[in-house]
Amino acid sequence: MKKVLVALVLFSLILFAGTVFAAEATADAAKLNYYGFASLGALVGIGLAAAGGGIGMGHGLRGIMEGSARNPGVAGKLLTTFIIGLALIETLVIYTLVIVLITYYANPFVK
């Protein structure tokens, strides 16, 4: 627990050191700050989406395997439903990727 707390403190120091020791705000600094935070948000967003999609796919696979083991006669119907479910889960991850890319490339500093 102590190592996690120390790592979190060090990560936050590294992350916010530029903001704390910043000089006067200029247009270039604001642009750099925006892209830094946009990159961090994109990293966290797509990471959480991929992790959630992986967990959801794992639960779905466990369910279809248990269902097929209990009743092998419905394996075909379960497989069809499972593939549709996987497609929907993957679509949610792709939507997150699209939102992340829009956030990253929509530059608010361009007039």
Side-chain angles (χ1 to χ4, degrees):
M1 181 67 185
K2 226 178 201 184
K3 289 181 183 180
V4 173
L5 184 62
V6 169
L8 186 62
V9 168
L10 287 176
F11 178 72
S12 62
L13 283 175
I14 291 170
L15 181 65
F16 296 112
T19 307
V20 171
F21 297 114
E24 295 180 20
T26 62
D28 292 334
K31 190 182 294 186
L32 180 65
N33 201 14
Y34 169 76
Y35 282 116
F37 284 121
S39 298
L40 181 66
L43 177 75
V44 170
I46 200 66
L48 288 175
I55 290 169
M57 288 180 187
H59 283 298
L61 182 61
R62 185 190 71 203
I64 191 172
M65 295 305 267
E66 288 176 358
S68 296
R70 288 182 184 160
N71 190 358
V74 295
K77 290 181 182 179
L78 287 177
L79 182 64
T80 304
T81 307
F82 175 66
I83 290 175
I84 292 171
L86 284 183
L88 292 175
I89 291 170
E90 197 62 35
T91 303
L92 292 174
V93 176
I94 291 171
Y95 284 157
T96 305
L97 176 65
V98 168
I99 291 170
V100 162
L101 290 175
I102 289 171
T103 303
Y104 189 72
Y105 288 111
N107 189 352
F109 299 105
V110 175
K111 293 182 180 179

XYZ file of all heavy atoms in Angstrom:
802
model
N 0.828 -1.191 0.000
C 0.000 0.000 0.000
C 0.868 1.248 0.000
O 0.535 2.231 -0.630
C -0.926 -0.058 1.220
C -1.855 1.096 1.331
S -3.036 1.022 -0.023
C -3.910 2.516 0.238
N 1.983 1.158 0.752
C 2.872 2.306 0.833
C 3.512 2.603 -0.526
O 3.651 3.760 -0.909
C 3.957 2.014 1.861
C 4.224 3.121 2.810
C 5.285 2.687 3.813
C 5.188 3.545 5.044
N 6.241 3.231 5.998
N 3.867 1.550 -1.254
C 4.498 1.729 -2.561
C 3.527 2.368 -3.549
O 3.922 3.200 -4.367
C 4.987 0.388 -3.105
C 6.175 -0.157 -2.367
C 6.615 -1.469 -2.974
C 7.775 -2.048 -2.189
N 8.231 -3.319 -2.743
N 2.272 1.979 -3.474
C 1.263 2.555 -4.368
C 1.083 4.035 -4.066
O 0.984 4.860 -4.980
C -0.073 1.796 -4.234
C -1.159 2.480 -5.019
C 0.094 0.354 -4.673
N 1.058 4.394 -2.791
C 0.905 5.793 -2.403
C 2.100 6.613 -2.849
O 1.942 7.725 -3.371
C 0.704 5.888 -0.887
C 0.429 7.274 -0.328
C -0.861 7.815 -0.923
C 0.347 7.228 1.175
N 3.302 6.075 -2.679
C 4.511 6.784 -3.112
C 4.503 6.943 -4.631
O 4.825 8.017 -5.153
C 5.772 6.029 -2.629
C 7.024 6.586 -3.276
C 5.888 6.099 -1.118
N 4.129 5.900 -5.362
C 4.067 5.985 -6.819
C 3.029 7.004 -7.267
O 3.257 7.761 -8.212
C 3.753 4.617 -7.400
N 1.897 7.070 -6.590
C 0.862 8.039 -6.930
C 1.330 9.460 -6.680
O 1.090 10.356 -7.502
C -0.407 7.739 -6.131
C -1.640 8.551 -6.457
C -2.052 8.307 -7.896
C -2.772 8.204 -5.520
N 2.025 9.687 -5.575
C 2.546 11.020 -5.272
C 3.593 11.415 -6.304
O 3.590 12.549 -6.808
C 3.110 11.063 -3.833
C 3.903 12.328 -3.598
C 1.994 10.951 -2.818
N 4.511 10.519 -6.634
C 5.529 10.828 -7.634
C 4.916 11.093 -9.006
O 5.334 12.004 -9.721
C 6.546 9.692 -7.712
C 7.508 9.586 -6.537
C 8.390 8.359 -6.700
C 8.340 10.831 -6.404
N 3.920 10.298 -9.371
C 3.246 10.514 -10.653
C 2.568 11.881 -10.696
O 2.646 12.588 -11.689
C 2.227 9.399 -10.898
C 1.461 9.563 -12.174
C 2.074 9.351 -13.394
C 0.122 9.942 -12.161
C 1.385 9.504 -14.568
C -0.579 10.101 -13.332
C 0.057 9.878 -14.542
N 1.909 12.256 -9.606
C 1.241 13.558 -9.580
C 2.255 14.693 -9.588
O 2.014 15.735 -10.193
C 0.309 13.665 -8.374
O 1.051 13.570 -7.183
N 3.400 14.513 -8.936
C 4.443 15.543 -8.986
C 4.977 15.720 -10.402
O 5.170 16.844 -10.871
C 5.589 15.189 -8.040
C 5.348 15.428 -6.560
C 6.520 14.904 -5.755
C 5.138 16.901 -6.287
N 5.208 14.611 -11.077
C 5.696 14.685 -12.454
C 4.641 15.296 -13.361
O 4.938 16.109 -14.233
C 6.105 13.284 -12.948
C 7.359 12.828 -12.201
C 6.354 13.282 -14.443
C 7.701 11.374 -12.435
N 3.390 14.939 -13.144
C 2.315 15.416 -14.000
C 2.086 16.915 -13.855
O 1.894 17.624 -14.838
C 1.019 14.655 -13.677
C -0.200 15.006 -14.506
C 0.034 14.605 -15.957
C -1.417 14.299 -13.963
N 2.113 17.414 -12.613
C 1.767 18.808 -12.381
C 2.967 19.717 -12.160
O 2.800 20.883 -11.834
C 0.817 18.915 -11.187
C -0.499 18.244 -11.433
C -0.851 17.104 -10.737
C -1.365 18.723 -12.402
C -2.054 16.480 -10.968
C -2.568 18.098 -12.653
C -2.906 16.972 -11.933
N 4.188 19.220 -12.350
C 5.370 20.050 -12.143
C 5.412 21.203 -13.144
O 5.758 22.330 -12.796
C 6.630 19.212 -12.245
N 5.055 20.932 -14.364
C 5.047 21.996 -15.370
C 4.038 23.084 -15.061
O 4.279 24.264 -15.314
N 2.909 22.714 -14.500
C 1.887 23.693 -14.155
C 2.310 24.517 -12.947
O 2.088 25.723 -12.890
C 0.559 22.975 -13.858
O 0.245 22.127 -14.955
C -0.562 23.959 -13.651
N 2.935 23.874 -11.984
C 3.333 24.570 -10.757
C 4.453 25.555 -11.018
O 4.425 26.695 -10.534
C 3.749 23.539 -9.674
C 4.363 24.223 -8.471
C 2.562 22.712 -9.265
N 5.446 25.154 -11.795
C 6.610 26.001 -12.036
C 6.504 26.763 -13.345
O 7.518 27.177 -13.907
C 7.881 25.151 -12.037
C 8.147 24.500 -10.714
C 8.086 23.135 -10.578
C 8.444 25.275 -9.611
C 8.323 22.534 -9.369
C 8.680 24.681 -8.389
C 8.626 23.315 -8.260
N 5.323 26.973 -13.827
C 5.132 27.628 -15.118
C 5.447 29.106 -15.039
O 5.279 29.762 -14.007
C 3.698 27.432 -15.588
N 5.884 29.636 -16.169
C 6.120 31.062 -16.284
C 4.806 31.731 -16.678
O 3.737 31.181 -16.492
C 7.210 31.303 -17.320
N 4.914 32.919 -17.220
C 3.713 33.636 -17.636
C 2.979 32.854 -18.716
O 3.588 32.192 -19.542
C 4.092 35.013 -18.172
C 4.691 35.929 -17.140
C 5.054 37.272 -17.730
O 4.509 37.612 -18.801
O 5.873 37.946 -17.134
N 1.672 32.969 -18.697
C 0.852 32.248 -19.665
C 0.940 32.921 -21.025
O 0.717 34.125 -21.150
C -0.587 32.198 -19.200
N 1.286 32.164 -22.021
C 1.286 32.652 -23.400
C 0.383 31.744 -24.217
O -0.085 30.705 -23.746
C 2.721 32.606 -23.981
O 3.165 31.257 -23.989
C 3.674 33.458 -23.170
N 0.161 32.146 -25.440
C -0.702 31.339 -26.307
C -0.063 29.982 -26.591
O -0.737 28.955 -26.639
C -0.982 32.076 -27.606
N 1.266 29.977 -26.768
C 1.948 28.709 -27.034
C 1.904 27.789 -25.819
O 1.747 26.576 -25.942
C 3.399 28.954 -27.445
C 3.495 29.623 -28.809
O 2.557 29.455 -29.610
O 4.501 30.312 -29.055
N 2.050 28.368 -24.623
C 2.009 27.553 -23.405
C 0.613 26.968 -23.200
O 0.473 25.820 -22.791
C 2.414 28.384 -22.201
N -0.415 27.756 -23.486
C -1.783 27.258 -23.344
C -2.043 26.132 -24.337
O -2.696 25.138 -24.008
C -2.785 28.390 -23.547
N -1.512 26.272 -25.551
C -1.679 25.231 -26.557
C -0.957 23.952 -26.132
O -1.489 22.862 -26.248
C -1.130 25.725 -27.898
C -1.454 24.833 -29.061
C -0.850 25.355 -30.348
C -1.475 26.657 -30.747
N -1.021 27.135 -32.060
N 0.249 24.102 -25.610
C 0.999 22.945 -25.147
C 0.301 22.286 -23.971
O 0.218 21.065 -23.891
C 2.416 23.368 -24.760
C 3.335 22.270 -24.257
C 3.591 21.261 -25.373
C 4.630 22.858 -23.758
N -0.222 23.094 -23.059
C -0.942 22.565 -21.905
C -2.190 21.803 -22.354
O -2.511 20.750 -21.807
C -1.312 23.707 -20.967
C -1.588 23.247 -19.568
O -1.273 22.126 -19.210
N -2.183 24.120 -18.788
N -2.902 22.341 -23.346
C -4.096 21.672 -23.853
C -3.751 20.301 -24.416
O -4.404 19.312 -24.119
C -4.770 22.524 -24.932
C -5.857 21.776 -25.669
C -7.089 21.572 -25.077
C -5.633 21.241 -26.930
C -8.083 20.860 -25.726
C -6.610 20.535 -27.584
C -7.838 20.355 -26.981
O -8.818 19.653 -27.626
N -2.711 20.233 -25.248
C -2.360 18.963 -25.858
C -1.825 17.972 -24.831
O -2.007 16.774 -24.974
C -1.353 19.156 -26.994
C -2.009 19.649 -28.247
C -1.703 20.886 -28.782
C -2.966 18.880 -28.886
C -2.321 21.338 -29.917
C -3.599 19.317 -30.025
C -3.264 20.548 -30.536
O -3.889 20.995 -31.660
N -1.179 18.461 -23.796
C -0.717 17.574 -22.741
C -1.875 16.929 -22.006
O -1.899 15.710 -21.795
N -2.836 17.744 -21.619
C -3.991 17.201 -20.908
C -4.893 16.392 -21.837
O -5.521 15.421 -21.415
C -4.776 18.306 -20.209
C -4.105 18.799 -18.959
C -3.759 20.122 -18.828
C -3.815 17.925 -17.937
C -3.131 20.575 -17.684
C -3.189 18.362 -16.786
C -2.845 19.695 -16.654
N -4.966 16.781 -23.110
C -5.744 15.996 -24.070
C -5.106 14.623 -24.270
O -5.803 13.615 -24.367
C -5.861 16.733 -25.398
N -3.774 14.588 -24.312
C -3.087 13.299 -24.445
C -3.313 12.435 -23.219
O -3.551 11.226 -23.332
C -1.588 13.516 -24.645
O -1.357 14.225 -25.817
N -3.250 13.037 -22.040
C -3.483 12.280 -20.815
C -4.918 11.767 -20.755
O -5.158 10.609 -20.410
C -3.187 13.144 -19.594
C -3.365 12.472 -18.250
C -2.333 11.371 -18.078
C -3.256 13.476 -17.140
N -5.868 12.599 -21.115
C -7.267 12.173 -21.139
C -7.512 11.078 -22.162
O -8.273 10.138 -21.911
N -6.854 11.188 -23.319
C -6.994 10.148 -24.340
C -6.421 8.829 -23.850
O -7.016 7.771 -24.045
C -6.287 10.583 -25.625
N -5.284 8.903 -23.180
C -4.665 7.691 -22.649
C -5.556 7.017 -21.615
O -5.794 5.812 -21.677
C -3.311 8.043 -22.029
C -2.554 6.913 -21.356
C -1.955 6.015 -22.419
C -1.491 7.470 -20.460
N -6.078 7.793 -20.698
C -6.938 7.229 -19.657
C -8.246 6.723 -20.258
O -8.714 5.621 -19.931
C -7.212 8.274 -18.552
C -8.286 7.799 -17.594
C -5.937 8.577 -17.790
N -8.836 7.492 -21.154
C -10.121 7.114 -21.750
C -10.044 5.827 -22.547
O -10.861 4.915 -22.364
N -9.065 5.713 -23.424
C -8.995 4.517 -24.248
C -8.532 3.324 -23.421
O -8.931 2.180 -23.681
C -8.107 4.735 -25.499
C -8.411 3.704 -26.579
C -6.650 4.730 -25.160
C -9.760 3.807 -27.173
N -7.726 3.584 -22.395
C -7.320 2.490 -21.504
C -8.491 1.914 -20.739
O -8.651 0.695 -20.627
N -9.330 2.784 -20.190
C -10.508 2.311 -19.467
C -11.495 1.612 -20.397
O -12.102 0.605 -20.032
C -11.192 3.473 -18.749
C -10.467 4.033 -17.531
C -11.201 5.262 -17.007
C -10.332 2.983 -16.460
N -11.647 2.148 -21.606
C -12.570 1.519 -22.554
C -12.078 0.138 -22.967
O -12.866 -0.810 -23.039
C -12.739 2.403 -23.784
N -10.782 0.017 -23.216
C -10.238 -1.284 -23.606
C -10.334 -2.279 -22.449
O -10.664 -3.457 -22.660
C -8.795 -1.139 -24.063
N -10.056 -1.812 -21.240
C -10.153 -2.708 -20.080
C -11.594 -3.149 -19.849
O -11.864 -4.335 -19.608
C -9.616 -2.020 -18.834
N -12.524 -2.217 -19.947
C -13.931 -2.567 -19.768
C -14.428 -3.501 -20.852
O -15.183 -4.444 -20.584
N -14.002 -3.258 -22.096
C -14.390 -4.147 -23.184
C -13.817 -5.545 -23.006
O -14.487 -6.546 -23.253
N -12.573 -5.620 -22.558
C -11.958 -6.922 -22.313
C -12.648 -7.685 -21.196
O -12.864 -8.901 -21.293
N -13.002 -6.982 -20.139
C -13.712 -7.623 -19.031
C -15.086 -8.110 -19.494
O -15.510 -9.227 -19.188
C -13.836 -6.660 -17.838
C -12.456 -6.448 -17.204
C -14.818 -7.190 -16.802
C -12.428 -5.328 -16.187
N -15.785 -7.279 -20.254
C -17.096 -7.673 -20.766
C -17.026 -8.876 -21.698
O -17.863 -9.783 -21.628
N -16.006 -8.892 -22.559
C -15.846 -10.036 -23.457
C -15.507 -11.299 -22.680
O -15.976 -12.396 -23.015
C -14.752 -9.737 -24.485
C -15.148 -8.739 -25.518
S -13.779 -8.480 -26.649
C -14.426 -7.132 -27.609
N -14.706 -11.160 -21.652
C -14.366 -12.321 -20.832
C -15.574 -12.899 -20.121
O -15.760 -14.127 -20.072
N -16.429 -12.031 -19.589
C -17.649 -12.512 -18.930
C -18.589 -13.170 -19.940
O -19.227 -14.184 -19.634
C -18.373 -11.364 -18.216
C -17.749 -10.967 -16.930
N -17.640 -11.805 -15.851
C -17.184 -9.792 -16.544
C -17.049 -11.186 -14.861
N -16.749 -9.947 -15.263
N -18.670 -12.583 -21.127
C -19.516 -13.192 -22.152
C -19.008 -14.550 -22.591
O -19.784 -15.490 -22.770
N -17.696 -14.667 -22.749
C -17.117 -15.948 -23.139
C -17.324 -16.994 -22.048
O -17.644 -18.151 -22.340
C -15.629 -15.791 -23.433
C -14.889 -17.039 -23.892
C -15.495 -17.557 -25.188
C -13.426 -16.739 -24.068
N -17.171 -16.583 -20.787
C -17.415 -17.527 -19.695
C -18.865 -18.002 -19.713
O -19.154 -19.186 -19.539
C -17.102 -16.878 -18.356
C -17.227 -17.861 -17.195
C -17.164 -17.187 -15.869
N -18.406 -16.425 -15.702
C -18.524 -15.387 -14.888
N -17.495 -14.967 -14.206
N -19.668 -14.760 -14.776
N -19.779 -17.083 -19.957
C -21.195 -17.449 -19.992
C -21.530 -18.405 -21.115
O -22.286 -19.373 -20.916
N -20.987 -18.157 -22.313
C -21.309 -19.057 -23.426
C -20.660 -20.426 -23.223
O -21.242 -21.452 -23.587
C -20.916 -18.454 -24.788
C -21.516 -19.289 -25.915
C -19.437 -18.360 -24.952
C -21.363 -18.697 -27.283
N -19.488 -20.466 -22.625
C -18.858 -21.759 -22.366
C -19.649 -22.561 -21.323
O -19.837 -23.765 -21.469
C -17.417 -21.571 -21.901
C -16.527 -20.966 -22.961
S -16.552 -21.892 -24.477
C -15.178 -22.941 -24.205
N -20.127 -21.891 -20.289
C -20.942 -22.584 -19.285
C -22.263 -23.049 -19.877
O -22.732 -24.153 -19.605
C -21.195 -21.674 -18.084
C -19.980 -21.446 -17.220
C -20.248 -20.458 -16.097
O -21.380 -19.922 -16.014
O -19.318 -20.227 -15.318
N -22.874 -22.197 -20.712
C -24.135 -22.581 -21.337
C -23.977 -23.743 -22.298
O -24.825 -24.635 -22.356
N -22.886 -23.739 -23.064
C -22.639 -24.850 -23.992
C -22.328 -26.134 -23.252
O -22.681 -27.224 -23.713
C -21.477 -24.502 -24.930
O -21.817 -23.411 -25.740
N -21.666 -26.021 -22.108
C -21.339 -27.217 -21.340
C -22.595 -27.821 -20.712
O -22.721 -29.043 -20.608
C -20.332 -26.881 -20.252
N -23.527 -26.997 -20.323
C -24.748 -27.503 -19.688
C -25.723 -28.071 -20.705
O -26.430 -29.037 -20.426
C -25.427 -26.375 -18.905
C -24.678 -26.006 -17.660
C -25.394 -24.935 -16.894
N -24.588 -24.534 -15.747
C -24.740 -23.407 -15.111
N -25.658 -22.554 -15.485
N -23.967 -23.121 -14.085
N -25.797 -27.422 -21.863
C -26.751 -27.863 -22.882
C -26.091 -27.735 -24.255
O -26.201 -26.692 -24.910
C -28.019 -27.013 -22.800
C -29.137 -27.562 -23.651
O -28.963 -28.557 -24.345
N -30.279 -26.904 -23.609
N -25.403 -28.759 -24.734
C -24.693 -28.663 -26.016
C -25.609 -28.472 -27.221
O -25.163 -28.026 -28.272
C -23.965 -30.002 -26.120
C -23.929 -30.558 -24.756
C -25.140 -30.015 -24.054
N -26.882 -28.731 -27.069
C -27.805 -28.601 -28.192
C -28.056 -27.163 -28.622
O -28.450 -26.912 -29.755
N -27.848 -26.209 -27.732
C -28.110 -24.808 -28.066
C -26.814 -24.033 -28.333
O -26.809 -22.810 -28.337
C -28.908 -24.103 -26.945
C -30.283 -24.694 -26.806
C -28.154 -24.116 -25.649
N -25.731 -24.748 -28.591
C -24.435 -24.086 -28.793
C -24.462 -23.150 -29.999
O -23.864 -22.076 -29.979
C -23.331 -25.125 -28.944
N -25.173 -23.532 -31.069
C -25.244 -22.685 -32.264
C -25.956 -21.370 -32.005
O -25.511 -20.306 -32.427
N -27.093 -21.436 -31.289
C -27.829 -20.220 -30.954
C -27.020 -19.336 -30.008
O -27.018 -18.110 -30.135
C -29.171 -20.564 -30.323
C -30.154 -21.175 -31.277
C -31.467 -21.475 -30.585
C -32.443 -22.135 -31.537
N -33.716 -22.451 -30.893
N -26.338 -19.981 -29.059
C -25.507 -19.207 -28.128
C -24.357 -18.523 -28.852
O -24.010 -17.382 -28.542
C -24.966 -20.108 -27.018
C -25.947 -20.580 -25.962
C -25.257 -21.514 -24.993
C -26.552 -19.406 -25.230
N -23.766 -19.223 -29.829
C -22.646 -18.647 -30.564
C -23.078 -17.420 -31.355
O -22.373 -16.410 -31.385
C -22.031 -19.699 -31.487
C -20.808 -19.245 -32.278
C -19.661 -18.919 -31.328
C -20.392 -20.299 -33.275
N -24.242 -17.499 -31.986
C -24.751 -16.356 -32.745
C -24.985 -15.158 -31.829
O -24.562 -14.040 -32.134
C -26.065 -16.739 -33.457
O -25.841 -17.882 -34.270
C -26.570 -15.591 -34.296
N -25.621 -15.382 -30.712
C -25.871 -14.301 -29.761
C -24.565 -13.763 -29.199
O -24.407 -12.554 -29.017
C -26.768 -14.812 -28.617
O -27.931 -15.404 -29.172
C -27.149 -13.692 -27.686
N -23.606 -14.647 -28.960
C -22.315 -14.243 -28.422
C -21.572 -13.350 -29.406
O -20.989 -12.336 -29.021
C -21.488 -15.488 -28.101
C -20.093 -15.196 -27.650
C -19.855 -14.543 -26.451
C -19.013 -15.582 -28.422
C -18.561 -14.279 -26.035
C -17.728 -15.321 -28.011
C -17.500 -14.667 -26.813
N -21.580 -13.696 -30.680
C -20.876 -12.885 -31.678
C -21.527 -11.518 -31.812
O -20.837 -10.498 -31.938
C -20.812 -13.630 -33.028
C -19.863 -14.820 -32.888
C -20.361 -12.716 -34.150
C -19.787 -15.711 -34.087
N -22.850 -11.450 -31.766
C -23.530 -10.156 -31.807
C -23.170 -9.331 -30.573
O -22.903 -8.129 -30.661
C -25.054 -10.350 -31.934
C -25.397 -10.927 -33.302
C -25.792 -9.030 -31.712
C -26.830 -11.360 -33.446
N -23.125 -9.972 -29.407
C -22.746 -9.278 -28.179
C -21.321 -8.759 -28.233
O -21.031 -7.634 -27.793
N -20.391 -9.576 -28.771
C -19.008 -9.119 -28.917
C -18.917 -7.926 -29.858
O -18.141 -6.997 -29.618
C -18.129 -10.253 -29.436
C -17.738 -11.347 -28.462
C -16.817 -12.339 -29.146
C -17.086 -10.776 -27.239
N -19.687 -7.948 -30.917
C -19.676 -6.821 -31.847
C -20.161 -5.547 -31.156
O -19.607 -4.464 -31.366
C -20.537 -7.139 -33.063
N -21.195 -5.656 -30.330
C -21.705 -4.486 -29.618
C -20.694 -3.973 -28.588
O -20.521 -2.755 -28.428
C -23.032 -4.817 -28.953
C -24.192 -5.076 -29.910
C -25.422 -5.515 -29.139
C -24.487 -3.858 -30.746
N -20.018 -4.885 -27.894
C -19.001 -4.467 -26.927
C -17.854 -3.763 -27.649
O -17.377 -2.718 -27.211
C -18.482 -5.686 -26.134
C -19.567 -6.205 -25.209
C -17.239 -5.322 -25.325
C -19.228 -7.538 -24.557
N -17.416 -4.324 -28.756
C -16.316 -3.717 -29.502
C -16.730 -2.368 -30.083
O -15.916 -1.459 -30.203
C -15.865 -4.672 -30.607
C -14.522 -4.355 -31.178
C -13.405 -4.454 -30.158
O -13.473 -5.323 -29.271
O -12.462 -3.665 -30.264
N -18.002 -2.223 -30.428
C -18.493 -0.943 -30.922
C -18.380 0.132 -29.857
O -18.028 1.279 -30.164
C -19.958 -1.090 -31.383
O -20.025 -2.107 -32.362
C -20.482 0.195 -31.974
N -18.647 -0.211 -28.612
C -18.504 0.768 -27.539
C -17.059 1.231 -27.398
O -16.789 2.412 -27.169
C -18.999 0.180 -26.218
C -20.490 -0.068 -26.121
C -20.811 -0.789 -24.825
C -21.242 1.241 -26.190
N -16.115 0.312 -27.545
C -14.698 0.682 -27.475
C -14.323 1.572 -28.661
O -13.590 2.551 -28.512
C -13.818 -0.583 -27.417
C -12.348 -0.226 -27.437
C -14.149 -1.399 -26.178
N -14.841 1.271 -29.829
C -14.545 2.092 -31.003
C -15.180 3.471 -30.859
O -14.578 4.482 -31.263
C -15.007 1.368 -32.289
C -14.113 0.151 -32.525
C -14.959 2.292 -33.496
C -14.583 -0.759 -33.628
N -16.376 3.573 -30.295
C -16.969 4.885 -30.030
C -16.083 5.700 -29.097
O -15.905 6.904 -29.285
C -18.356 4.740 -29.401
C -19.453 4.343 -30.348
C -20.595 3.730 -29.871
C -19.359 4.577 -31.709
C -21.615 3.355 -30.731
C -20.365 4.201 -32.567
C -21.491 3.591 -32.077
O -22.483 3.223 -32.913
N -15.522 5.053 -28.091
C -14.621 5.763 -27.190
C -13.394 6.252 -27.947
O -12.941 7.376 -27.739
C -14.187 4.853 -26.027
O -15.353 4.365 -25.378
C -13.321 5.584 -25.049
N -12.858 5.433 -28.835
C -11.721 5.853 -29.636
C -12.065 7.059 -30.498
O -11.279 7.999 -30.609
C -11.231 4.693 -30.511
C -10.098 5.017 -31.481
C -8.833 5.375 -30.707
C -9.843 3.866 -32.419
N -13.237 7.066 -31.097
C -13.656 8.193 -31.926
C -13.783 9.466 -31.086
O -13.325 10.542 -31.485
C -14.984 7.869 -32.647
C -15.590 9.103 -33.284
C -14.759 6.791 -33.685
N -14.374 9.360 -29.905
C -14.510 10.525 -29.031
C -13.145 11.029 -28.592
O -12.896 12.240 -28.555
C -15.403 10.182 -27.820
C -16.837 9.989 -28.284
C -15.330 11.259 -26.747
C -17.755 9.415 -27.244
N -12.233 10.113 -28.300
C -10.876 10.507 -27.909
C -10.183 11.221 -29.059
O -9.545 12.259 -28.866
C -10.077 9.265 -27.445
C -8.592 9.533 -27.444
C -10.529 8.851 -26.067
N -10.301 10.707 -30.262
C -9.659 11.357 -31.409
C -10.271 12.716 -31.705
O -9.553 13.662 -32.052
C -9.743 10.447 -32.635
C -8.884 9.184 -32.570
C -9.139 8.311 -33.789
C -7.416 9.538 -32.459
N -11.574 12.842 -31.573
C -12.209 14.147 -31.767
C -11.730 15.137 -30.718
O -11.413 16.287 -31.021
C -13.748 14.014 -31.744
C -14.231 13.316 -33.005
C -14.414 15.384 -31.606
C -15.700 12.959 -32.980
N -11.648 14.685 -29.469
C -11.169 15.561 -28.399
C -9.729 15.978 -28.637
O -9.359 17.122 -28.399
C -11.279 14.840 -27.034
O -12.617 14.442 -26.840
C -10.834 15.731 -25.907
N -8.914 15.057 -29.112
C -7.505 15.362 -29.299
C -7.268 16.279 -30.490
O -6.448 17.178 -30.425
C -6.724 14.061 -29.478
C -5.237 14.281 -29.471
C -4.572 14.606 -28.306
C -4.493 14.165 -30.632
C -3.214 14.809 -28.292
C -3.129 14.360 -30.637
C -2.502 14.685 -29.459
O -1.157 14.898 -29.449
N -7.993 16.074 -31.575
C -7.724 16.850 -32.785
C -8.644 18.068 -32.939
O -8.445 18.848 -33.876
C -7.821 15.965 -34.021
C -6.651 15.019 -34.113
C -6.804 13.660 -33.928
C -5.385 15.507 -34.350
C -5.744 12.807 -33.989
C -4.300 14.664 -34.410
C -4.480 13.308 -34.239
O -3.414 12.459 -34.292
N -9.627 18.250 -32.095
C -10.453 19.459 -32.163
C -9.708 20.554 -31.397
O -9.789 20.649 -30.185
C -11.818 19.217 -31.554
N -8.974 21.363 -32.098
C -8.129 22.372 -31.472
C -8.954 23.618 -31.171
O -9.389 24.312 -32.088
C -6.979 22.705 -32.413
C -5.936 23.569 -31.756
O -6.126 24.048 -30.639
N -4.834 23.757 -32.448
N -9.145 23.966 -29.898
C -9.935 25.155 -29.565
C -9.170 26.451 -29.780
O -9.736 27.527 -29.673
C -10.261 24.958 -28.089
C -9.149 24.152 -27.571
C -8.740 23.249 -28.692
N -7.872 26.380 -30.114
C -7.080 27.586 -30.273
C -7.035 28.093 -31.712
O -6.453 29.116 -31.987
C -5.643 27.333 -29.774
C -5.606 26.955 -28.326
C -5.389 25.655 -27.939
C -5.832 27.921 -27.351
C -5.376 25.306 -26.610
C -5.826 27.586 -26.021
C -5.597 26.276 -25.630
N -7.655 27.346 -32.620
C -7.732 27.787 -34.009
C -8.979 28.634 -34.170
O -10.072 28.209 -33.818
C -7.756 26.575 -34.971
C -7.961 27.036 -36.400
C -6.493 25.775 -34.829
N -8.818 29.794 -34.716
C -9.977 30.687 -34.866
C -10.657 30.481 -36.180
O -10.185 30.053 -37.128
C -9.536 32.144 -34.744
C -9.063 32.451 -33.338
C -8.683 33.881 -33.229
C -8.213 34.142 -31.794
N -7.812 35.470 -31.575
